[in-house]
Amino acid sequence: MLSCRLSSSLDPNTVSVRRESSKDSFLTSGTRVLKHVNQIEVVKTYKSEWNLFIKSVTDSFAANYTCKADHQVLLSDVQLLILFAPKIDYSGISSPEEIVDEGGTVELTCAFTGEPLPKLTWFRGDVKQLTGITGSKLVMRDVKRYATDFYTCRGENSVSFEDYTINLIVKFHVEIDVMEKTIYVKRGGMFTLSCIAQGAPLYDAYWIDVHELKVKSSMWKYDFYSEPAGAHVPAKFVTLVTRTGTLTVFDFGTYTCEAKGEGTVARATVEVIEHKDSKEHVPHTSNGFN
């Protein structure tokens, strides 16, 4: 309801009152509605009032409204702001998935409409941890693989808030590292080989045994495990375990952990050596990756 009242110096019986807006020009003349007839009424609570009542307000009614009497006498001048929740402006945002090479620069952008104009804040991860960065752009230079994550831009105003999430993928060549490069084991015993494979993309990671066969869990002499190794980096722990009593003289030699990426293959080897009861052969141990 936008009020308009005559001053005491004007006679409501003889004066003519008109309403206009900065968008639609003349809206009413007296009590007659000229535009938006289904949404606008002129309400006269008192003889000297010509109040403008707008029903089912949309943001299209945001404008400057004036009420004038004869001879361009200004009775009221009101700016109407229509408050509405933030909405994503798809013409000014990054795609839902952005890919950048490690060491490069990436610029994530977002945009929202809303009244009042939304404040933009950036969050990281599924738990939406504050990054301390505000504004429409999140720029990262010399990007490391650990930047791989979900980044959320939140547009917030006094009405509500809306989120837009971007999945950032940092590409890098596949890499392989092994727990131990040499192990000693007795014939008839068993051993465990472990490696970690990293890469983006990382298509596959597996062990190749001494007979140059790709190890599968279905093989009678091996158990094979592959499990994720990190939350923000595409990495897998790949483990090969021999079953008890299967190790023969023909199973000593070189075992290879291999990973495949985009146009690249990485390999690392472990030498499995027969341990004999001789002082010449001393077991090699390691507490971590070499």
Side-chain angles (χ1 to χ4, degrees):
M1 182 81 77
L2 303 180
S3 64
C4 178
R5 176 176 290 186
L6 290 178
S7 63
S8 57
S9 62
L10 297 175
D11 184 359
N13 295 313
T14 60
V15 73
S16 176
V17 176
R18 295 176 300 278
R19 281 274 190 175
E20 60 182 286
S21 79
S22 56
K23 283 186 178 180
D24 295 310
S25 188
F26 287 106
L27 295 172
T28 66
S29 178
T31 59
R32 182 186 174 194
V33 178
L34 305 177
K35 295 180 179 178
H36 308 293
V37 293
N38 294 323
Q39 291 179 275
I40 289 178
E41 292 182 14
V42 176
V43 178
K44 291 181 65 64
T45 308
Y46 298 100
K47 191 175 183 179
S48 60
E49 288 185 349
W50 280 262
N51 299 317
L52 187 68
F53 181 55
I54 306 175
K55 299 174 287 185
S56 301
V57 174
T58 64
D59 54 3
S60 63
F61 281 94
N64 197 73
Y65 291 81
T66 56
C67 182
K68 295 180 181 179
D70 296 328
H71 309 296
Q72 297 295 311
V73 176
L74 182 65
L75 303 177
S76 70
D77 186 354
V78 178
Q79 183 181 11
L80 178 62
L81 300 176
I82 309 302
L83 305 184
F84 61 95
K87 296 179 182 178
I88 299 170
D89 179 2
Y90 287 95
S91 66
I93 60 175
S94 298
S95 64
E97 183 175 279
E98 290 287 331
I99 300 174
V100 62
D101 290 330
E102 188 171 39
T105 297
V106 63
E107 182 179 288
L108 306 181
T109 60
C110 73
F112 289 85
T113 59
E115 185 63 50
L117 189 66
K119 176 185 176 181
L120 306 183
T121 306
W122 289 91
F123 300 83
R124 177 175 178 174
D126 294 331
V127 298
K128 296 182 180 178
Q129 182 178 2
L130 274 169
T131 64
I133 298 172
T134 60
S136 61
K137 295 181 180 180
L138 174 66
V139 180
M140 289 180 275
R141 297 177 175 84
D142 191 20
V143 178
K144 305 302 181 186
R145 63 193 64 178
Y146 308 105
T148 294
D149 212 339
F150 292 99
Y151 294 84
T152 298
C153 179
R154 174 171 294 175
E156 185 172 10
N157 64 14
S158 58
V159 180
S160 185
F161 69 87
E162 181 77 10
D163 287 346
Y164 180 71
T165 300
I166 302 165
N167 181 20
L168 177 64
I169 299 173
V170 182
K171 292 177 61 178
F172 62 98
H173 293 309
V174 289
E175 301 172 359
I176 286 282
D177 203 357
V178 292
M179 290 289 288
E180 296 176 291
K181 292 184 177 179
T182 305
I183 66 171
Y184 292 83
V185 62
K186 291 182 178 182
R187 193 181 307 179
M190 61 182 294
F191 61 83
T192 299
L193 305 180
S194 295
C195 72
I196 183 171
Q198 298 185 66
L202 177 60
Y203 294 136
D204 199 6
Y206 46 85
W207 280 96
I208 298 174
D209 71 5
V210 69
H211 308 292
E212 298 186 354
L213 297 175
K214 182 177 177 180
V215 174
K216 300 178 181 178
S217 291
S218 58
M219 290 177 155
W220 68 274
K221 67 166 58 179
Y222 302 117
D223 287 319
F224 175 78
Y225 309 97
S226 178
E227 57 186 345
H232 301 303
V233 178
K236 291 181 179 179
F237 284 119
V238 186
T239 304
L240 178 154
V241 182
T242 57
R243 293 174 181 165
T244 304
T246 63
L247 194 62
T248 70
V249 66
F250 303 106
D251 296 315
F252 295 103
T254 302
Y255 289 75
T256 303
C257 187
E258 189 168 278
K260 290 185 177 180
E262 191 173 86
T264 58
V265 176
R267 298 179 182 88
T269 61
V270 176
E271 291 295 325
V272 178
I273 299 173
E274 182 178 3
H275 173 60
K276 299 177 181 178
D277 294 327
S278 169
K279 294 181 180 180
E280 296 179 6
H281 299 280
V282 180
H284 171 81
T285 60
S286 173
N287 294 323
F289 288 105
N290 294 295

